[in-house]
């Protein structure tokens, strides 16, 4: 791609005999906000450190605005980093922390002061300028770290789990706040996180990582609605899963035999393959009526439990004992109670099929 | 407080007082003697005077000896901090076999009797053809002072967050600049503390120095011993009192440095 700010190609890294990255490709467009989402230990920080030049990859290249920076030392890259623990300099004040990178350049004292003031204002810490780092709250420390990284005008900003040190309420506030700041600056950003909600809320695109490889790189909506692999399905959001075996394909519609009867999907498998059918629980509709709704996939099951979740309900269904199906609904349809026989239906587009019958 | 607790508190205070008295008495006696008029070590002195301090100016070679001692102490302290600091970085950050062994080896002169080190170094220097007294003294004192630097700087480095250096690098500092601007300020208390201990250990050293001095180049402790043998009058008490004063000043600085660090670490 022509206007990629960051381009990682074939990045591999092993520590001793453990492979941490096995061929990562990643291209981030100018001004884009992307997330590297994956469970802890999947290699997110390692990839970030390779991009920042704090670690060298065993194989692969890193390009910044088209220029190959694979061998360039960290301080010549122009890549800003907000570290997981913020790594603020404890012997300096808030303003001195923000000025730190500017002092390494040939900039006049007046310009430094003006730039520091500008970024302190951006993160709304002007009144804290002369405070020592100790005694700042987690949220304030995070904003100092962001201001310090932005002050040197990097081409790319890397954030390593910047919210993990904050409690839940503050985390949600800071996510919105940080998004505002970064949009104002217009900087290309890579966020590392293991928190799917954080990634869904903040990103233009999400790269879902598993065991040192990117399984899917797409917009949040696509990641959620069309997960590319079983891993992405399980890692992002809930799903209702039904094990089955494929049968014939007619008119592009694949028939799948399950304990709940025959289901259909737009997918290609040879007959006799074990598969898992998955549906996002809020995409399933429920009705008490006998007449068949216009949806393609219908099954009937007995309601066994209703779990109130505040803003929504989780309903559990079963059919002939073992399989539990999860349905999410904003409200309970009239007349529906535990023990009732309910028709569940959903559309073809919402029917996801993955190889392997394990639930 | 129960009766048993009260008894224990009393016993603890008593023991502590006795220990302080035991440690402080010789120092107090020395200072009192130095201000006495008698040329014998009598207590209490018949009258007070500063004549032994005035006599210091006429002690032959005192100035040059003091200069040698301060030079050796300052230079050995400085090089110990530099070498010990670099060695500590390698020990904390490096991933090579035998790190623990090397760390123990660097601090081992603290546990060896000075005489053993002295004899060993004397033979080693002879073997290497090193005859210069001043250089021999300096090298020997570096070995005496190095453990103080390594021990203190190493333990401070264990607490140091090396992400700070990486942060400095992402902000445009070369690795060298990053260490200078981030690591050095963070280690300043360790440098002060270990520097003071190393300096005093060098100023005070007798057991190792004795092997490397001659009639012209000697250190203060050696000269004081010579004085005590030649003319046992309170002149040495005066020198000792001045040294005690020096140590007190150092200890106050040291306490400030450590005290500051304690406050810092508690946060
Ligand atoms: N310096 C290192 N030496 C050895 N193993 C490491 C090192 N850094 C990371 N690892 C290992 O690499 C794997 C991925 O680490 P990391 O990239 O930090 O994961 P994440 O940030 O996704 O949680 C982990 O299993 C971790 O133990
Ligand atoms: Mg990590």
């Amino acid at each position: 791609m022509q206007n990629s700010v960051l381009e990682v190609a074939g990045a591999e890294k092993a520590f001793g005999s453990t492979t941490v990255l096995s061929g990562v490709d990643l291209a981030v467009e100018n001004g884009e906000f992307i997330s590297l989402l994956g469970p802890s230990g999947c290699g997110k920080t390692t990839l970030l450190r390779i991009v920042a030049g704090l670690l060298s990859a065993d194989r692969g290249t890193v390009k910044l605005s088209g220029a190959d920076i694979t061998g360039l030392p960290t301080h010549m890259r122009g890549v800003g980093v907000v570290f997981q623990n913020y790594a603020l300099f404890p012997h300096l004040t808030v303003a001195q922390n923000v000025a730190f990178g500017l002092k390494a350049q040939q900039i006049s004292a007046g310009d430094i002061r003006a730039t520091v003031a500008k970024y302190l204002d951006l993160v709304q810490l002007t009144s804290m300028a002369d405070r020592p780092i100790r005694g700042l709250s987690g949220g304030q420390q995070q904003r100092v770290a962001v201001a310090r990284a932005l002050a040197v005008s990097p081409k790319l900003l890397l954030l390593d789990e910047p919210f993990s040190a904050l409690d839940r309420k503050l985390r949600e506030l800071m996510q919105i706040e940080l998004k505002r700041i970064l949009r104002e600056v217009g900087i290309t950003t890579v966020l590392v996180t293991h928190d799917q909600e954080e990634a869904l809320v903040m990103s233009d695109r999400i790269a879902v990582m598993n065991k040192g490889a990117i399984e899917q790189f797409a917009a949040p909506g696509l990641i959620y609605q069309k997960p590319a692999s079983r891993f992405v399905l399980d890692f992002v959001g809930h799903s209702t899963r039904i094990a089955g075996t494929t049968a014939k394909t007619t008119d592009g519609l694949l028939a799948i035999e399950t304990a709940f009867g025959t289901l259909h999907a737009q997918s290609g498998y040879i007959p006799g393959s074990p598969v898992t059918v998955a549906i996002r629980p809020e995409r399933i509709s429920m009705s008490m009526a006998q007449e068949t709704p216009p949806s393609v996939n219908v099954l009937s099951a007995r309601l066994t439990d209703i779990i109130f979740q505040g803003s929504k309900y989780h309903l559990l269904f079963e059919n002939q004992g073992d399989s539990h199906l999860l349905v999410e609904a904003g409200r309970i349809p009239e007349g529906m109670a535990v023990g009732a026989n309910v028709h569940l239906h959903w559309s073809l587009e919402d029917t996801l099929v993955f190889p392997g019958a394990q639930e | 407080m129960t009766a048993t607790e009260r008894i224990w508190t009393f016993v603890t205070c008593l023991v502590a007082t006795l220990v302080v008295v035991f440690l402080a008495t010789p120092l107090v006696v020395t200072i009192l003697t130095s201000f006495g008029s008698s040329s014998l070590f009598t207590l209490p002195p018949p009258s007070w005077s500063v004549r032994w301090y005035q006599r210091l100016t006429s002690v032959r070679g005192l100035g040059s000896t003091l200069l040698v001692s301060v030079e050796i102490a300052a230079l050995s302290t400085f090089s110990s901090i530099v070498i010990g600091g670099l060695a500590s970085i390698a020990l904390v950050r490096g991933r090579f076999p035998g790190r623990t062994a090397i760390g123990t080896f660097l601090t081992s002169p603290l546990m060896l009797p000075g005489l053993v080190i002295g004899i060993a170094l004397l033979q080693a220097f002879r073997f290497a053809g090193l005859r210069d007294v001043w250089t021999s003294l300096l090298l020997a004192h570096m070995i005496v002072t190095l453990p103080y630097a390594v021990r203190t700087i190493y333990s401070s480095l264990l607490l140091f967050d090396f992400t700070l250096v990486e942060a400095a690098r992402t902000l445009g500092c070369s690795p060298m600049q990053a260490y200078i601007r981030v690591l050095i300020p963070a280690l300043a208390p360790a440098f002060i503390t270990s520097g003071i201990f190393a300096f005093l250990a060098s100023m005070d050293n007798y057991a190792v120095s004795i092997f490397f001095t001659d009639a012209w180049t000697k250190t203060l402790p050696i000269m004081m011993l010579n004085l005590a043998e030649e003319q046992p009058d309170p002149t040495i008490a005066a020198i000792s009192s001045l040294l005690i004063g020096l140590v007190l000043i150092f200890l106050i600085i040291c306490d400030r440095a450590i005290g500051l660090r304690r406050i810092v670490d508690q946060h």
Side-chain angles (χ1 to χ4, degrees), chain A residues 49 75 85 87-88 100-101, chain B residues 161 163-164 166 169 171 173 181:
Chain A
R49 293 172 61 81
H75 64 282
N85 64 355
L88 299 176
F100 189 93
Chain B
D161 175 13
T163 328
L164 296 181
E166 294 185 336
R169 286 170 58 198
L171 291 167
C173 291
R181 289 186 61 193

Side-chain angles (χ1 to χ4, degrees), chain B residues 127-149:
Chain B
F127 186 75
L130 178 64
R131 301 229 167 257
D132 182 59
V133 173
W134 198 87
T135 316
S136 309
L137 264 178
L138 180 63
L139 288 177
H141 277 233
M142 277 170 60
I143 286 171
V144 172
T145 52
L146 190 62
Y148 294 95

Side-chain angles (χ1 to χ4, degrees), chain B residues 24 62 73 76 112 138 200:
Chain B
L62 180 61
S76 63
L112 283 177
L138 180 63
L200 292 179

Side-chain angles (χ1 to χ4, degrees), chain A residues 3-315:
Chain A
N3 55 348
S4 289
V5 166
L6 173 67
E7 232 181 306
V8 180
E12 289 177 27
K13 181 74 190 177
F15 292 110
S17 59
T18 7
T19 303
V20 176
L21 295 180
S22 47
V24 172
D25 297 309
L26 185 71
V28 186
E29 311 279 297
N30 192 11
E32 207 180 11
F33 190 120
I34 75 134
S35 292
L36 289 175
L37 173 66
S40 149
C42 73
K44 306 181 297 290
T45 299
T46 304
L47 180 56
L48 209 71
R49 293 172 61 81
I50 287 172
V51 172
L54 296 169
L55 196 68
S56 62
D58 299 336
R59 215 158 289 127
T61 55
V62 181
K63 283 186 185 171
L64 198 64
S65 305
D68 192 331
I69 58 161
T70 314
L72 210 61
T74 301
H75 64 282
M76 295 164 77
R77 288 194 174 199
V79 173
V81 182
V82 171
F83 291 86
Q84 190 160 8
N85 64 355
Y86 307 139
L88 299 176
F89 305 120
H91 62 288
L92 302 177
T93 64
V94 169
Q96 287 168 337
N97 263 276
V98 178
F100 189 93
L102 299 167
K103 287 199 175 137
Q105 304 171 358
Q106 307 297 325
I107 302 178
S108 76
D111 287 349
I112 291 182
R113 226 174 300 124
T115 312
V116 169
K118 176 181 150 197
Y119 283 96
L120 282 180
D121 182 51
L122 180 72
V123 300
Q124 297 175 347
L125 281 177
T126 307
S127 60
M128 308 287 252
D130 297 320
R131 296 274 187 92
I133 292 306
R134 283 169 220 294
L136 293 190
S137 72
Q140 290 165 340
Q141 290 193 19
Q142 190 207 55
R143 282 183 282 159
V144 177
V146 170
R148 183 181 70 176
L150 290 177
V152 290
S153 314
K155 294 192 200 80
L156 173 70
L157 183 64
L158 309 176
L159 308 164
D160 193 355
E161 314 239 6
F163 305 103
S164 60
L166 310 180
D167 58 52
R168 201 186 156 81
K169 266 269 158 52
L170 185 61
R171 197 180 302 176
E172 287 169 5
L173 269 178
M174 289 304 296
Q175 284 170 5
I176 296 165
E177 174 69 3
L178 186 61
K179 213 176 159 179
R180 173 192 71 80
I181 293 170
L182 297 181
R183 199 182 300 126
E184 204 168 316
V185 177
I187 188 168
T188 312
T189 307
V190 177
L191 168 82
V192 156
T193 180
H194 65 267
D195 181 342
Q196 44 148 325
E197 271 173 46
E198 192 173 301
L200 292 172
V201 167
M202 300 198 68
S203 331
D204 299 324
R205 282 196 292 168
I206 299 175
V208 183
M209 272 185 87
N210 181 30
K211 293 185 188 144
I214 291 177
E215 298 229 339
Q216 188 174 10
F217 186 26
L222 217 54
I223 294 272
Y224 186 77
Q225 279 149 28
K226 297 275 176 225
S229 68
R230 184 61 199 268
F231 175 82
V232 178
L233 171 81
D234 290 342
F235 195 74
V236 182
H238 293 287
S239 61
T240 289
R241 295 177 295 268
I242 304 165
T245 309
T246 56
K248 281 204 311 273
T249 304
T250 36
D251 298 336
L253 270 194
L254 173 71
I256 303 157
E257 301 299 338
T258 73
F260 295 93
T262 306
L263 301 174
H264 292 92
Q266 294 163 319
S267 192
Y269 282 89
I270 51 166
S273 319
V275 292
T276 301
V277 177
I279 316 104
R280 293 299 184 188
E282 75 283 358
R283 310 296 290 184
I284 303 177
S285 311
M286 301 174 287
S287 72
M288 298 288 289
Q290 277 299 331
E291 81 267 19
T292 313
S295 311
V296 173
N297 284 314
V298 185
L299 60 80
S300 78
R302 202 170 61 86
L303 178 60
T304 58
D305 206 354
I306 298 176
I307 302 153
F308 180 53
Q309 301 241 312
S311 59
K312 59 187 190 254
Y313 293 90
H314 277 178
L315 296 93

